[in-house]
Amino acid sequence: MNTQRSFVLAFDTANEVIAIGLGKLDAATQSIECVASVEVEARRASNTQLLPRIDELCAQAGVGRGEIACVAVGRGPGSFTGVRIALACAKGIASALEVGLVGVSSLDAVAWGAWKASERGSLLVVADAMRREVYPVEYRLSDAGVERVTADRVIKAEAFAEELDASGGSDRLIAGDALRKYADLFEGAGALLPEALWTPTGAGLLMALRASWRAGECDPLDAERHDPAFALPVYTRLSDAEENERQRLARADGALAGKRGSKHVTMNDTAIANARANGEGIAYKPLDARHVADVAALEAAVMGTDAWNGALVADELGRADRVWWAAYAADPKMPLSAEAPLVGYAGGWVVDGDLQILKVGVDPAWRRHGIARVLLARVADDARNLGARTSSLEVRAANAGAQALYAALGYEVLGRRPRYYSDGEDALIMRGPLPTITLAAVPNGESVADESRRGAACAALGREDGSADTRPGQVAADRPLILAIESSCDETAAAVIDGGEALRSDVVATQVDFHARFGGVVPEIASRKHIEAICGVCDEALDVAAASLGLSRLRWRDLDAVAVTYAPGLVGALVVGVAFAKGAAWGADIPFIVVNHLEGHLYANKIGLEDFAPPAVVSLVSGGNTLLVHMADWGDYRVLGATIDDAVGEAFDKVAKALGLGYPGGPVVSKFAAEGDPDAIPFPRAMLHSGDLRFSLSGLKTAVVTYINNERAAGRELNVPDICASFTAAVVDVQVAKARAALRETGAPTFCLGGGVAANPTLRAAYEQMCAEEGVRLVMPPLASCGDNAGMIAEVALDRYRAGAFSPLSTDALAHGDLEVPY
């Protein structure tokens, strides 16, 4: 332990108040002395105020960054966005400082705040959960401290008020920010504490941390035990999309509308077929009622006399406190078929903060594929979002294989239930942490600096052999060295670039599997996955960059700046990246740089083609944007035309959804289009002759969906390749015509692409032909750099660093960002 590090920084933004505390740690007595604290009304501005307030409090208390031994953060429950702001910022600070991150309950902090104010007795904390719901937790406050009585949960405010009426008694104390809305519901159930005690305080956070320390649940001085990557929020419920999905799957409907007697199939009908198999031919999705009989049959085969029948399994589905997942054998190249055979299943019950594993079964023919492990992780992932913190199960005393699996997942034997099973065999009781799903951070194509660029960079440092100077305390790279983060949609990405414009690393963790079954990106799920993945992705980017530089390790403190996409995109997703990057910049005491995501797509053309430079016309085509941009120079952009409705990528996804081809739609539509006749169906070319450079995709999408439904109504089998080819041709014809007009209007000598749809082979071929006819240079980014990636953000950040375009730590994420406006 570094003896100079003796302070803990604690903060919370789970509601409208920012609470910050600084405490002095005493390992001998496991005590924490509050040396400074502050509470500030944030009013939905936590991301702009948090770090400036932290900086101010540390300065006032005379505590430097190097003296911080631990970061503690309120992990909720509370506002989803508010909790993620605090947690992402805390992950960034802890990562940069190389200290542990400990999560504490935001509601426990409220309870300890009441205890510090000398309140004693029964305490009810009711926090606002929005949607006329509350997070209620009961405590006992005595001179010895605070004891939690109930686990985290969410419930309708009116329903909980009825529970209190039924329980009787009015000697309880009541606090919590839900009283601002529902004081009239709860005032008869006890004495309302003063409003100053309704929200977390800095002192309350420190006392909650101290209690956890003394209970053996944490050690603020053990950084290895408290890796920031493993700190997660408390949500207590699934996203709306997941809740609705479970209700739908609990009904024994057919996979498509046609199976219910109708020939009209909507895009929502086909969405449930979007799950795809992995490389081993196994697809995972929540269990649906149509496969209850399959589960019962597999139960009978693997569980013997302890097998559940179909009625018992069916009764589990749709319950708010139950989680069931299934595994199917399927073709990885196609969406999951309704006829795909079930090869595994797992179910659990969330009760009092514990996930009780009810069932795990795998077809013997499909064992040793890791199916049970993945199913348990999927069940645990949902259970965690429902408020579970631990997991327990029973396993046969003689089942050594299962016990080994559970032990590998962190379960330990707590006891034995004699003659628990129907045949008289004992059961071992095992308990452990919730199994986790880790989004793999993988290289983004071939974007890591190749040997020639690496050699040139090292030669500039005076090393003729191309190896790196690894003297202690020095980083062998052309300065500056910048880490960039991208989190605008459903990819968590990070890259490191050096002053020689060599990308030393470019890694990405994709969430596509978590969104595929919904037929599109679910913003709330995207935000949740970013908070889970961001530490691992940045760590991998640093490790890959270190290897590229010939270093054993690359630390945040070795960087010259941290950059991040701040706009445009899904604001909840952007918030995670921005809060993390700001926290890391503050912790490492280095500049913070923001980048416009669209500008990143322009700069993507520099990856793999170092001599690319404006002026140029750029076609930006992605799931969220369709633009034609004139680049007069770097940083000098004029939007020539944009879509007035759907983006190109969005249209591809919607057509794929209507055909039941799965998500993402672009690649699968392209695959079928290559086999079809582009002239087979005369789909409209919207705004082809509009006289301007605007686009419209909504009418084309509607025309394709209408054609599909008319064919089904007529009883004709769909010619999917022809539909895909004809739709693609309609899109490409308009894109190319408008691009040609833009080149003639501007006189630009170069045409280039950006965005995920820029990887479409038909579009790329059409642009090649058009540029040859117009006599202009065509520049296209590598396929891996077309979609969202951090390499392109790093390229922009390098130029902004050189221009001194640094941003304050009060900067926030923005859902919209005008490419024409300097920032």
Side-chain angles (χ1 to χ4, degrees):
M1 180 186 76
N2 185 342
T3 56
Q4 293 182 335
R5 293 180 182 262
S6 57
F7 288 89
V8 58
L9 169 65
F11 50 89
D12 182 282
T13 61
N15 52 45
E16 294 294 323
V17 173
I18 296 174
I20 311 171
L22 276 170
K24 184 72 177 290
L25 298 165
D26 187 329
T29 61
Q30 292 186 321
S31 62
I32 303 175
E33 175 194 356
C34 181
V35 298
S37 66
V38 66
E39 293 77 47
V40 183
E41 284 282 346
R43 301 191 182 280
R44 298 181 181 270
S46 297
N47 207 18
T48 62
Q49 294 193 41
L50 178 58
L51 270 169
R53 296 286 185 178
I54 289 174
D55 202 43
E56 182 181 357
L57 189 67
C58 288
Q60 291 173 354
V63 176
R65 294 168 177 80
E67 297 178 89
I68 296 173
C70 173
V71 178
V73 64
R75 54 182 172 77
S79 158
F80 291 169
T81 299
V83 171
R84 284 193 288 262
I85 287 171
L87 197 54
C89 182
K91 282 173 177 267
I93 294 174
S95 295
L97 293 178
E98 298 176 13
V99 301
L101 174 59
V102 180
V104 298
S105 166
S106 301
L107 304 189
D108 287 1
V110 174
W112 277 104
W115 184 89
K116 186 174 186 295
S118 301
E119 300 292 347
R120 299 294 184 268
S122 298
L123 172 68
L124 170 65
V125 178
V126 281
D128 184 16
M130 309 300 288
R131 303 194 303 188
R132 297 197 62 80
E133 293 179 331
V134 295
Y135 303 114
V137 176
E138 297 179 28
Y139 299 86
R140 291 193 187 95
L141 277 54
S142 67
D143 290 342
V146 172
E147 178 187 358
R148 178 185 271 252
V149 177
T150 59
D152 293 315
R153 62 169 173 153
V154 65
I155 185 174
K156 291 293 183 182
E158 291 83 356
F160 183 64
E162 291 176 4
E163 280 190 19
L164 293 179
D165 288 342
S167 66
S170 59
D171 59 346
R172 67 172 61 88
L173 307 170
I174 306 178
D177 68 329
L179 295 177
R180 293 175 177 171
K181 291 182 179 179
Y182 309 117
D184 57 326
L185 288 175
F186 302 120
E187 58 188 0
L192 307 189
L193 294 182
E195 189 169 352
L197 301 178
W198 289 0
T199 54
T201 62
L205 288 165
L206 295 174
M207 286 187 286
L209 176 64
R210 181 190 63 189
S212 181
W213 191 5
R214 291 178 173 175
E217 297 170 354
C218 73
D219 182 351
L221 298 171
D222 189 343
E224 185 175 352
R225 177 179 175 183
H226 299 291
D227 188 328
F230 300 131
L232 296 173
V234 172
Y235 293 115
T236 75
R237 65 183 173 212
L238 303 175
S239 68
D240 289 346
E242 290 167 309
E243 289 181 349
N244 294 334
E245 175 192 47
R246 275 157 176 71
Q247 292 301 316
R248 184 178 71 247
L249 295 181
R251 301 189 297 267
D253 293 339
L256 301 177
K259 291 182 180 277
R260 299 195 297 269
S262 167
K263 290 189 172 63
H264 183 84
V265 182
T266 69
M267 286 183 286
N268 286 334
D269 287 321
T270 66
I272 64 173
N274 280 305
R276 285 182 180 273
N278 59 21
E280 292 189 314
I282 305 166
Y284 298 91
K285 65 180 296 183
L287 179 64
D288 62 85
R290 293 183 298 110
H291 289 91
V292 163
D294 298 328
V295 171
L298 188 50
E299 268 277 287
V302 300
M303 299 295 180
T305 56
D306 293 294
W308 284 14
N309 60 34
L312 288 174
V313 176
D315 188 56
E316 292 282 304
L317 302 184
R319 293 196 178 196
D321 56 357
R322 303 297 205 275
V323 180
W324 284 79
W325 275 78
Y328 303 89
D331 181 354
K333 299 178 182 179
M334 295 297 295
L336 182 63
S337 165
E339 288 71 40
L342 180 133
V343 296
Y345 58 90
W349 176 22
V350 179
V351 56
D352 292 333
D354 184 66
L355 167 64
Q356 297 182 8
I357 301 297
L358 299 173
K359 289 287 181 180
V360 183
V362 177
D363 187 326
W366 282 86
R367 289 176 182 171
R368 304 203 178 278
H369 284 75
I371 294 175
R373 186 184 294 264
V374 174
L375 286 170
L376 284 169
R378 294 277 183 158
V379 169
D381 191 50
D382 286 347
R384 183 181 292 108
N385 288 335
L386 291 172
R389 298 184 63 191
T390 59
S391 179
S392 59
L393 54 85
E394 287 89 16
V395 59
R396 284 181 175 269
N399 193 342
Q403 292 170 36
L405 168 64
Y406 300 139
L409 294 174
Y411 288 82
E412 297 179 348
V413 176
L414 294 184
R416 179 182 293 259
R417 297 189 193 276
R419 303 183 63 81
Y420 179 77
Y421 293 100
S422 60
D423 58 3
E425 184 176 347
D426 291 354
L428 297 183
I429 305 168
M430 301 187 75
R431 186 179 180 88
L434 293 170
T436 59
I437 298 175
T438 302
L439 294 180
V442 299
N444 183 46
E446 300 300 323
S447 52
V448 177
D450 61 31
E451 286 302 313
S452 61
R453 294 181 69 181
R454 178 178 182 274
C458 293
L461 294 167
R463 299 296 297 271
E464 295 181 0
D465 62 356
S467 63
D469 186 342
T470 56
R471 287 174 294 175
Q474 293 195 10
V475 174
D478 283 356
R479 292 294 184 175
L481 197 62
I482 302 170
L483 184 143
I485 297 168
E486 157 62 28
S487 69
S488 65
C489 192
D490 63 337
E491 312 280 17
T492 314
V496 175
I497 195 170
D498 68 16
E501 297 195 23
L503 278 175
R504 293 298 175 177
S505 63
D506 189 4
V507 300
V508 61
T510 181
Q511 307 173 8
V512 66
D513 287 347
F514 292 92
H515 300 282
R517 68 183 196 267
F518 300 102
V521 176
V522 179
E524 174 59 22
I525 294 177
S527 300
R528 295 186 183 195
K529 294 304 171 186
H530 283 307
I531 202 74
E532 295 173 16
I534 196 161
C535 281
V537 168
C538 290
D539 287 347
E540 180 69 8
L542 290 170
D543 288 346
V544 172
S548 173
L549 293 164
L551 298 171
S552 60
R553 185 179 183 188
L554 184 63
R555 298 176 168 182
W556 288 93
R557 70 184 72 166
D558 298 324
L559 301 172
D560 294 293
V562 179
V564 68
T565 300
Y566 85 108
L570 300 177
V571 70
L574 288 165
V575 157
V576 174
V578 169
F580 179 90
K582 290 195 301 182
W586 183 85
D589 196 16
I590 55 179
F592 172 64
I593 299 171
V594 297
V595 173
N596 184 302
H597 178 77
L598 299 180
E599 187 173 22
H601 279 303
L602 302 182
Y603 269 72
N605 289 278
K606 293 182 69 174
I607 299 176
L609 191 64
E610 297 177 71
D611 68 341
F612 167 68
V617 168
V618 187
S619 172
L620 281 180
V621 280
S622 67
N625 299 281
T626 299
L627 303 171
L628 275 173
V629 180
H630 180 232
M631 300 174 60
D633 200 352
W634 296 118
D636 184 0
Y637 315 121
R638 179 167 62 95
V639 176
L640 304 173
T643 181
I644 62 175
D645 40 57
D646 291 354
V648 171
E650 183 181 5
F652 270 90
D653 287 341
K654 288 180 177 178
V655 168
K657 197 172 182 180
L659 288 168
L661 297 180
Y663 173 86
V668 69
V669 169
S670 295
K671 172 182 175 294
F672 280 102
E675 303 169 2
D677 178 3
D679 299 317
I681 308 164
F683 289 133
R685 272 67 171 164
M687 301 189 73
L688 180 62
H689 304 293
S690 62
D692 56 32
L693 298 178
R694 295 179 301 162
F695 303 90
S696 173
L697 280 299
S698 179
L700 171 59
K701 176 259 299 180
T702 300
V704 176
V705 173
T706 300
Y707 175 86
I708 291 169
N709 285 322
N710 287 342
E711 289 297 289
R712 287 192 173 117
R716 290 188 288 267
E717 184 176 350
L718 296 178
N719 187 322
V720 175
D722 281 357
I723 294 173
C724 291
S726 299
F727 161 72
T728 301
V731 171
V732 169
D733 285 352
V734 177
Q735 293 296 314
V736 170
K738 301 279 186 174
R740 191 189 303 270
L743 285 167
R744 292 176 178 177
E745 177 183 311
T746 62
T750 303
F751 180 77
C752 52
L753 308 180
V757 183
N760 182 283
T762 304
L763 186 63
R764 291 170 81 96
Y767 279 141
E768 285 180 357
Q769 180 178 339
M770 182 270 292
C771 287
E773 293 170 353
E774 295 295 316
V776 300
R777 182 189 187 192
L778 173 63
V779 175
M780 295 187 288
L783 292 178
S785 300
C786 292
D788 295 346
N789 66 91
M792 66 185 192
I793 305 302
E795 295 279 1
V796 181
L798 182 59
D799 276 1
R800 292 182 65 77
Y801 181 94
R802 288 167 171 160
F806 305 140
S807 297
L809 298 181
S810 59
T811 304
D812 204 357
L814 299 174
H816 305 285
D818 192 337
L819 188 57
E820 295 181 331
V821 178
Y823 59 99

